[in-house]
Amino acid sequence: MDKFNKYFRKSITRQFMALMALTMTLILCGAVFVLWSTVNIIQSYETNSGETREKQELVSDISNHANQIIMRVRGYYVYQTQFEYDQIFIERQALDTALDAIKQYPMSDSERELMERIESFFTSFFNELLPQGIAYAEAGNYEALRTYISAEGDNPVNKLLEYSRTFEHTVQKMASDENLQLVKDLTYQGGIFIGYILLVLVFSLFITRKIAKDIGYPLSQLTQQAERFAAGEMIQVDVVRRVDEIGGLSESFHAMIKQIVSKEEELVSQNEELQAQQDELQAQQEELHAALQQMEHNEHYLEKRNLLVQSLSNTLNKQELLSSIIRHIVDIVGYDKGIIVMNTPQHDYAAVGVSAKGAAQLIDSIDDGMVLRAAQTREPYCVTRACTPGEQGYHEEQLFASELIVPILDAQEEMVACMILTKLGQSIAKHEPVEVAGMARQVSLAFDKLAIYESSERQRQMTSDMLNTIQEGVQLFDLEGRTLQINKKLTEFFGFLPSNGESMQLPLHDLLDKLSGVVAEPEALKQFITERVLGCRSADASGFTYEIIEPDRKYIQMYCEPLYREGVKFGTLLVHRDITKEYEVDRMKSEFVSTVSHELRTPLASVLGFAELMLHRELKPERQRKYISTIHQEARRLTTLINDFLDLQRMESGKQTYDMKPVSLTALIHEVIELHRIGTSIHEIVWENDDKPLMLLADQDKLQQVLTNLLSNAIKYSPEGGRITITSQAESEQYVIRIRDEGLGIPDNALPKLFNKFYRVDNTDRREIGGTGLGLAIVKEIVTRHKGTIEVDTKLGEGSTFTLCFPAQHIQPAVETETEASEHMPEASVEVMLIENDYNLSIMLRDELQASGFRVYLYTQGQKALEEMDALRPDIVVIDLMLEPDTSGWQVIEQMKKTDTLQNTPIIISSAFEEKEKAAQWGIREFLVKPYLPGRLTATIQQILRKG
Ligand code: ADP
């Protein structure tokens, strides 16, 4: 038993298994018992009910057989057949068998008595009654039989039948009773089984609880202890003295705690050791970190120094260099601000953190103070001073600034620049001046480099400027024919050359290829260049002339010079000179000579021809008139031509003077139109005037020339006649005059050159129309001088419109007009001294003046006129500038101005030379340029007289 106990105590699993096995076994036993008892009950029930049923069947059989015997006997008595007889005995045998069988079953006393009576009855029946009865029947003695049978006494068969019926009822009742009993038994048995099961469960619960308690308690104890241990508490572990798993667990736990405690101690000691090592490492790391920081600082410092060195070599721009130097040095030494000033006359400087005013102040006093000391001592030095309010910033306590002044010395130990570096609120460390002086030496080297660069750059720039300024294109080739350098002018000649091509490497064949596209007849040029550049032929002074066709047509003269260095040829210089102008001038000259000679000869031929005719022939007065009018017309044409020519010459030489006065444009247009209307009968000249007076500050004569040229062109180039419309109107800010004709029009290709001098449209329509190509050039010049513009809108064959625009001016119209003036004719007593060298002209002018009512004193020599002038005291002197060889008009004027009595005498200059400016210097405004119409002289005198 002990062994058994031990076996189970050793394992909780076993205990549980045993408990479970026991519980299951008990339940199984109960179940088996219930099954067995149920089977028993049912078996006994079945036995009982079977017996009763069998008994009842036997009773029923007995009563049947008994009844059958009686019935058969009676049948035999009646029929006396063998069959009936046999049947009686078959039935008797069956009755006996049934009686024997029923005796096997337990029977009540009454039953047994009944059975015995039946047995005894039939025994006596067969033994006595039947043979007798048979005998009677067989004897046919039925009477005796009847009597005999009635005397048979008490027949139990009836009782039996009754019993059999009663027994059947009894058996049924018994069966139902037994059924009830069976149910009762089974119910009872089920109740007992449930009770049994409950009992088993209570028992197993009790056992389970005990086992659980045995497991749970020590486990919770262990858990608590483990938790306390985990929480870091030192615990006393109570070992559970048990042989099962809990005991093992408790022991293991105890051992584990012990182990942990011992390990912990070990770990603590290891940890302490590690801690010590870590402290050591920490210290080493800090040391390393400090070293690293120092290294980083050094690296940073070196980087900055490097940047300084780089910046010193990177730029050759002085200002950039200075800025970069001071910026880097301030950064390297960690100062707050600094300035570097050069010791040049213009004191170039750059600063960091210094205002322009502060820098200017330093430069103003550069020869006196800190910089002076640095220049004299050539040593860096330090200064400490109180901070300025600006430097003080938001600090309330007084701050001090330390300044380090460092001279930058050149190779000759002369100061070329000075650096002043400032540190706010800190003093200067000992090593800093030395450090900055080191940098100053580097800076000095950079300055030397800069100086060399600047000098060579100046030289280069000068050479480049010289090359670019000259009007010749210059091209330098090396011995292989590569173009090394060109100047700007050459790039203007050849668009394919790069505009910044001062230094380049253009191979000869590339150059020649490109030249082919832009030069007329390139082969000769290519040959010339190749021969000269590659040295096949020595240079000759003759040069070569070629024509550029793109981008602009140009004529270039080229010559070449070989270049030698120390007697060895190293290249070739080609010089291209633009001779387009000369070429054009030459061309124009010859064109002009032919035009002018044509234009001069034609009218001259008429003048000469008609004059000859008039001289040598007797002509009718009307014919004379006609010839004279032709001569007059041709002379006018000649005058216009010469005037145009002279005007242009003056304009080109810049000698043209403009006498700007308020001029009524409207009156002028009217005058010009009227003049031209007379000359044409096939043109209708219409003036569309918006009636606003257009006043301009202009040279009246020049403006008249403009209008005349345009209107005469309109007439001239409308040979078929037509309408010529002149519109004049004042628009918002300008006066616009349009002269529209319905004539030949101008081809588009002529428009760009239309206003060029000597330009004439050349086509068959107008070959017959004379002209010099100067009119529009003069118009353009005059209009431009009046700040105006001229435009042309034309369609070939349909006509042209020339539009003049002048800026509008607000000038009041003159109160007096020419017409009004003519109303105030002077007195006939006005004396005019006319000094005119040309005899014919003097006669003509005298006649004109006399005809106008003046008294005229005519002189052809200046000297003589002067001598008599004082005595004559003329009211007005009209003088030609070109007099006899010894005295010029100017000398006469000079003398007059010097003579008190004559200096206020009004003078009118009548000359072919337009020297209005010189005249104005003598206070002379009236200047008539020859040839002029004689009437103009009269009008001018009248004007002077009017002014008084
Ligand atoms: P000119 O008339 O003496 O030839 P201009 O300078 O006055 O010289 O004119 C230059 C050219 O312009 C003329 O040759 C003429 O062909 C053209 N031209 C000028 N005005 C007109 C016009 N109104 N209609 C057609 N062509 C004109």
Side-chain angles (χ1 to χ4, degrees), residues 710 713-714 716-717 741 744-746 754 759-761 766 770-777 800 802:
L710 293 177
N713 274 354
K716 201 159 65 167
Y717 295 105
D741 64 59
L744 299 175
I746 301 163
L754 197 66
Y759 180 75
R760 304 204 68 218
V761 178
R766 44 194 111 197
T772 54
L774 292 175
L776 288 182
S800 319
F802 283 82

Side-chain angles (χ1 to χ4, degrees), residues 694-731:
L694 311 182
M695 291 300 293
L696 263 188
L697 195 65
D699 184 314
Q700 177 156 348
D701 292 348
K702 300 282 186 293
L703 218 53
Q704 189 168 13
Q705 197 176 352
V706 168
L707 295 169
T708 305
N709 283 1
L710 293 177
L711 192 54
S712 65
N713 274 354
I715 293 170
K716 201 159 65 167
Y717 295 105
S718 315
E720 305 289 317
R723 175 190 274 251
I724 293 168
T725 316
I726 296 146
T727 47
S728 59
Q729 61 198 61
E731 287 182 1

Side-chain angles (χ1 to χ4, degrees), residues 2-43:
D2 245 16
K3 241 181 168 183
F4 185 74
N5 250 351
K6 248 186 190 173
Y7 177 76
F8 281 106
R9 273 221 192 119
K10 264 189 179 171
S11 165
I12 293 166
T13 323
R14 282 179 200 160
Q15 285 173 25
F16 260 106
M17 290 305 290
L19 179 65
M20 289 306 289
L22 184 62
T23 312
M24 296 305 278
T25 313
L26 285 175
I27 289 171
L28 200 66
C29 288
V32 168
F33 174 73
V34 167
L35 186 65
W36 172 77
S37 92
T38 307
V39 167
N40 268 355
I41 288 168
I42 289 171
Q43 262 180 2

Side-chain angles (χ1 to χ4, degrees), residues 519-730:
V519 167
E521 297 176 25
E523 290 312 316
L525 174 69
K526 281 156 89 173
Q527 191 186 351
F528 180 87
I529 295 178
T530 315
E531 284 177 356
R532 303 309 190 280
V533 168
L534 298 181
C536 316
R537 266 182 70 174
S538 61
D540 48 41
S542 59
F544 182 85
T545 304
Y546 63 92
E547 185 188 350
I548 297 177
I549 46 175
E550 265 182 33
D552 301 319
R553 187 172 291 274
K554 281 196 174 80
Y555 293 91
I556 307 287
Q557 191 178 41
M558 179 174 67
Y559 66 90
C560 102
E561 283 296 341
L563 297 175
Y564 292 93
R565 195 176 285 154
E566 294 166 4
V568 182
K569 182 178 171 186
F570 71 90
T572 309
L573 198 68
L574 278 190
V575 180
H576 307 247
R577 198 162 74 84
D578 184 0
I579 53 162
T580 314
K581 261 198 187 143
E582 288 96 314
Y583 190 88
E584 285 291 318
V585 168
D586 269 0
R587 195 181 56 80
M588 269 175 16
K589 253 189 208 157
S590 50
E591 263 181 33
F592 175 69
V593 168
S594 70
T595 312
V596 168
S597 50
H598 172 261
E599 289 297 310
L600 286 176
R601 275 190 182 137
T602 319
L604 267 178
S606 310
V607 170
L608 271 176
F610 284 116
E612 285 241 352
L613 275 178
M614 286 181 74
L615 272 175
H616 300 298
R617 292 231 185 121
E618 280 297 320
L619 295 167
K620 286 182 186 157
E622 57 275 20
R623 191 147 275 266
Q624 277 181 3
R625 240 189 126 65
K626 199 178 168 203
Y627 285 0
I628 285 181
S629 108
T630 312
I631 290 172
H632 176 252
Q633 212 173 339
E634 292 303 311
R636 277 189 76 120
R637 213 171 117 188
L638 271 173
T639 313
T640 316
L641 180 68
I642 291 164
N643 276 346
D644 279 357
F645 182 60
L646 288 176
D647 280 349
L648 198 76
Q649 192 260 336
R650 269 197 298 270
M651 282 168 191
E652 285 201 332
S653 62
K655 284 185 186 152
Q656 184 67 284
T657 48
Y658 286 78
D659 185 13
M660 298 300 209
K661 283 180 190 159
V663 174
S664 164
L665 208 53
T666 339
L668 211 59
I669 295 169
H670 176 76
E671 196 179 321
V672 174
I673 291 176
E674 288 311 312
L675 270 176
H676 283 83
R677 259 195 194 130
I678 306 162
T680 173
S681 55
I682 53 168
H683 297 94
E684 184 197 353
I685 303 178
V686 186
W687 184 20
E688 291 172 359
N689 180 17
D690 69 356
D691 285 338
K692 282 188 194 152
L694 311 182
M695 291 300 293
L696 263 188
L697 195 65
D699 184 314
Q700 177 156 348
D701 292 348
K702 300 282 186 293
L703 218 53
Q704 189 168 13
Q705 197 176 352
V706 168
L707 295 169
T708 305
N709 283 1
L710 293 177
L711 192 54
S712 65
N713 274 354
I715 293 170
K716 201 159 65 167
Y717 295 105
S718 315
E720 305 289 317
R723 175 190 274 251
I724 293 168
T725 316
I726 296 146
T727 47
S728 59
Q729 61 198 61

Side-chain angles (χ1 to χ4, degrees), residues 212-228 240 242 246 249-250 253:
K213 214 172 160 192
D214 279 3
I215 300 165
Y217 179 72
L219 275 179
S220 80
Q221 283 292 100
L222 279 175
T223 310
Q224 275 177 17
Q225 285 175 354
E227 277 173 359
R228 277 166 54 209
V240 181
R242 279 168 58 163
I246 301 285
L249 180 67
S250 163
F253 183 69

